[in-house]
Amino acid sequence: ESLNDIDEKIWAIRDDKSNANEHSYLQAENVSTVDGILRIKGKNESAGGRNYTSGYIDTNGKYSLPNYFRAEIRAKVPMEQGMWAAPLWLRPADFSGGEIDLLETYGKESARPKIHHTIHTDYGPGHEFSAKPAYYSVVDDPTGTEWHTYVVEKVPGSITMWTDGVQTARWTQGDPSWFNQYYEANKRWQLRVNLQIGGSWGGLPDSTTDWSGDKTTMMVDYIRTWVPNQ
């Protein structure tokens, strides 16, 4: 069903918070729903000791998926310099190691935008990740700013991702070597949706960043999840 309001039984909106590795301060007022579309707006304004503001919602402590699931999201990302969009990513409900990034995009790549799919190990000194990026040209979108449907399917022995029905990433047992340790460990997974500004991956906004209209707004039409019959 379409998202006409944020279901607070499932989602929490982060407010007056800041995360490491980004330059935006998180405010609830940057998160809204308009005509069934979730909007997270990046703004060129100072708050909380940071030069930019943005928004973040998650299901932490409210809702999680079992270890095997399918999730689908229809989203539209901003491709302005400094924008680091993450329309859907998942972390273990017990806050142990592992992270599944269905999609991240970086405005600094706007000339040849990429769909970034990644899985991770624990954070910390031994942190590793396996990234499988694809160019948006595989779905005939040279700008990366159109609406697309992204799917992640986690089944025994593999994680597969699709963009508009095109398989754009896949991981299996043994590839990477740590797959089983993190992804066959019977974890539950919480959902996260956010737009970061700056950080080590995104790079800072600059004079080319267009803050007008919706140029720095990430939009989500829907998020759907499926779980196996119990």
Side-chain angles (χ1 to χ4, degrees), residues 3 6 9 22 35 47 55 72 96 103 121-122 131 133 138 157 172 216:
L3 186 72
I6 295 166
K9 293 191 298 292
E22 65 173 298
D35 297 328
E72 176 180 311
S96 61
L103 174 66
T121 66
D122 278 295
V138 302
T172 57
T216 58

Side-chain angles (χ1 to χ4, degrees), residues 79-83 107-110 202-206 208-209 211:
M79 275 291 175
E80 295 296 321
Q81 171 63 35
M83 299 302 115
K108 67 182 181 183
E109 297 177 340
S110 60
L204 285 168
D206 61 20
T208 69
T209 306
W211 298 93

